[in-house]
Amino acid sequence: MLFPEIPNIPYRGGEDFLSFRWYNPDEVILGKTMKEHCKFALAWWHTLCAEGADMFGGGTADKAFGADKSDYMAYAKAKADAGFEIMQKLGIDCFCFHDHDLVEEAPTLAESNKRLDEITDYIKTKMDETGIKCLWGTCNAFSHKRFMAGAGTSPSADIFAYAAAKIKKAVELTVKLGGTGYVFWGGREGYETLLNTDMRLEQENLARLIKMTIQYARSIGFKGDFYIEPKPKEPSKHQYDVDVASTCNFLRAHGLMGEVKMNVEANHATLAGHTFQHELRAAADNGVFGSIDANQGDLMLGWDTDQFPSDVYSATMCMLEVIRAGGFTNGGLNFDAKTRRMSYTIEDIFHGFITGMDTYALGLRKACQLIEDGRIAQFAEERYASYKTGIGADIVLGKAGLVELEQYSLQREPQLPPSGRQEMLEGIVNCILFEGKPRMRRWNDVPPPV
Ligand code: XUL
Ligand code: CO
């Protein structure tokens, strides 16, 4: 055991140190256990690799986990041991990885692949022993300097080929570890200036790479889902997968709709100028809701801070959308999150996960209360009641065109639309969030707007 001072983290429902207050894995809510609703996962890169380096200084956390870092395999195995201990103590059933999170990249592709084979043999044994599973895998095609101008969107065909070779291996590893998803995050798939960029060719090539990956993965028996993880910027000034809507446009333009879903990340939504809920709704409405990178950004910063989530409001709206979308199938809530640079101890990692898991557990509980309360959904439904009958139904059913609508409008001046009652709805949310019970009268008892 690497961290004997840290116990298994129990659900206590109180304020005890190192315990869950709201996450009670086996408690059944709306017909499913909390564990099934949430499907939490650990991100190998943040939890086991990131040491807190930033633009102005190196790492503050020791993530050698007792190993000699120059012995790459001993170091890789120590990270795996630490990861499994952390997951077991927290009751997290899944992890997500990039190829070279698992073991340091070697000078050649062949040697790198050998290292990956060896470390995944080790990880697979630990998975069999513990029952821990792989939620999704992905490929790091952005850190090495060869990918400075992108991978699938590189101006160099040799780099495209190298990225394809690396992705091939990452897909094989995902299949080997039984991953139920494969993620494309467009690391440096974007541009800095159009003065040197053929945007059309770059996007076509990106689509080609995704198609090759799908074709190969299916040919070796991958049955899971593919996800694109939209992000508007960072590291590129402009990343091609800006947000869910523009990524859907990319998928449609290249005949990939139906083949690829979304991995929606909270902090990426913030960077795109959207709420997390907006991105989730856009995914569900387009039939591409897949998985979630659960973290949170800082609204005052323009970069990806990848903080552990603590915003219950946002987590509640997220779980509302997840439930609305029918819950997770192959996806889950991956903590693409790291402790702050000043929170550098192993205990801080546990606090990060406990707060993150409790935030989502509380969000789930509150989302269920909002659903059971019913007023919010009912209000939204009734707001559009005019499309159920009469001219509204004709519009929806395609029975009315401009001529009919002109005829209709010549005979009557429309009334103002019903009040949106945003403030009242926000009040209802607050009552449920902070008091756990409704305070107001039912909305339809409220007098109509004047
Ligand atoms: C980067 C990011 C990635 C992906 C996986 O912003 O979110 O870590 O989640 O490549
Ligand atoms: Co992410």
Side-chain angles (χ1 to χ4, degrees):
M1 204 184 288
L2 284 162
F3 324 117
E5 71 283 15
I6 309 274
N8 289 338
I9 309 299
Y11 165 71
R12 288 237 170 82
E15 287 167 26
D16 301 11
F17 197 59
L18 294 178
S19 72
F20 293 115
R21 166 141 195 178
W22 290 290
Y23 181 56
N24 186 11
D26 300 321
E27 187 178 328
V28 175
I29 304 186
L30 281 184
K32 271 203 263 187
T33 62
M34 293 187 89
K35 201 185 200 72
E36 288 165 329
H37 274 290
C38 296
K39 285 186 70 187
F40 291 126
L42 167 146
W44 211 274
W45 55 103
H46 281 313
T47 304
L48 305 171
C49 307
E51 297 184 328
D54 69 10
M55 296 282 275
F56 296 90
T60 55
D62 174 7
K63 299 259 175 100
F65 302 113
D68 170 3
K69 278 179 139 185
S70 63
D71 180 345
Y72 63 84
M73 199 47 72
Y75 173 40
K77 287 181 177 169
K79 286 199 293 185
D81 292 345
F84 278 87
E85 188 174 329
I86 293 169
M87 288 187 274
Q88 281 189 290
K89 286 185 168 170
L90 286 161
I92 290 181
D93 284 345
C94 298
F95 64 87
C96 301
F97 72 99
H98 302 81
D99 46 1
H100 288 293
D101 298 338
L102 303 183
V103 63
E104 193 188 324
E105 196 169 356
T108 66
L109 184 64
E111 174 59 21
S112 287
N113 287 351
K114 247 173 64 199
R115 289 185 185 185
L116 288 166
D117 290 339
E118 189 178 337
I119 191 63
T120 47
D121 283 346
Y122 184 74
I123 290 171
K124 205 168 171 339
T125 310
K126 296 193 80 86
M127 291 170 75
D128 293 342
E129 280 165 18
T130 59
I132 285 172
K133 298 185 169 56
C134 171
L135 187 69
W136 53 257
T138 187
C139 175
N140 182 332
F142 46 85
S143 292
H144 193 281
K145 66 181 175 187
R146 68 173 75 88
F147 298 121
M148 67 172 81
T153 65
S154 174
S156 155
D158 278 2
I159 304 294
F160 182 105
Y162 200 91
K166 221 167 165 285
I167 288 173
K168 174 175 177 284
K169 188 67 185 175
V171 165
E172 289 164 3
L173 299 175
T174 304
V175 172
K176 175 174 174 181
L177 299 181
T180 53
Y182 184 84
V183 165
F184 300 96
W185 168 56
R188 293 180 191 274
E189 312 293 31
Y191 70 84
E192 296 299 314
T193 171
L194 287 175
L195 294 175
N196 63 14
T197 301
D198 182 342
M199 191 156 83
R200 182 193 294 219
L201 179 65
E202 289 202 359
Q203 295 202 35
E204 285 169 355
N205 280 347
L206 186 57
R208 287 186 181 102
L209 187 56
I210 291 172
K211 284 180 189 169
M212 289 175 197
T213 306
I214 294 173
Q215 192 268 326
Y216 180 71
R218 295 296 183 220
S219 81
I220 60 164
F222 178 65
K223 302 246 173 354
D225 285 332
F226 295 95
Y227 311 112
I228 289 183
E229 185 179 319
K231 185 175 186 183
K233 56 189 171 186
E234 195 203 19
S236 303
K237 182 186 105 176
H238 177 94
Q239 303 260 141
Y240 293 131
D241 308 323
V242 177
D243 58 6
V244 169
S246 55
T247 304
C248 284
N249 181 53
F250 169 83
L251 294 179
R252 287 195 180 95
H254 297 283
L256 281 162
M257 210 57 177
E259 308 265 4
V260 182
K261 296 180 179 167
M262 298 290 147
N263 183 39
V264 175
E265 175 164 327
N267 203 160
H268 296 179
T270 304
L271 296 180
H274 298 309
T275 61
F276 186 24
Q277 187 182 15
H278 169 97
E279 287 294 82
L280 292 164
R281 180 75 64 91
D285 285 351
N286 281 285
V288 293
F289 169 74
S291 201
I292 288 178
D293 269 10
N295 60 12
Q296 122 187 355
D298 187 312
L299 293 179
M300 270 164 263
L301 299 177
W303 65 91
D304 201 11
T305 55
D306 286 339
Q307 291 165 229
F308 274 97
S310 60
D311 180 345
V312 177
Y313 205 106
S314 170
T316 301
M317 295 306 147
C318 168
M319 292 314 292
L320 203 53
E321 296 303 321
V322 170
I323 294 168
R324 225 177 146 252
F328 293 114
T329 48
N330 285 326
L333 287 166
N334 168 45
F335 286 107
D336 191 356
K338 58 188 179 218
T339 55
R340 300 302 82 200
R341 193 164 184 269
M342 286 174 282
S343 307
Y344 59 90
T345 72
I346 187 70
E347 191 180 301
D348 290 304
I349 293 179
F350 280 86
H351 287 307
F353 277 103
I354 292 169
T355 296
M357 292 163 80
D358 261 346
T359 297
Y360 270 88
L362 183 53
L364 169 65
R365 291 176 187 278
K366 294 295 166 185
C368 291
Q369 285 176 12
L370 282 165
I371 290 166
E372 277 158 10
D373 176 82
R375 282 174 296 170
I376 304 270
Q378 190 190 347
F379 185 89
E381 167 95 15
E382 291 186 10
R383 190 160 176 244
Y384 297 91
S386 65
Y387 288 95
K388 297 248 166 64
T389 55
I391 195 71
D394 288 349
I395 293 170
V396 170
L397 296 170
K399 289 188 187 160
L402 292 190
V403 173
E404 292 77 13
L405 295 175
E406 183 196 41
Q407 275 303 316
Y408 181 83
S409 298
L410 285 170
Q411 288 158 31
R412 59 184 65 66
E413 280 294 313
Q415 291 182 355
L416 291 177
S419 167
R421 296 216 191 285
Q422 179 173 336
E423 297 76 7
M424 179 193 80
L425 298 171
E426 288 167 347
I428 292 173
V429 173
N430 276 356
C431 287
I432 288 177
L433 243 61
F434 299 107
E435 289 181 347
K437 60 176 172 11
R439 175 175 55 85
M440 294 189 194
R441 295 182 286 175
R442 295 200 63 85
W443 72 268
N444 48 6
D445 295 338
V446 176
V450 277

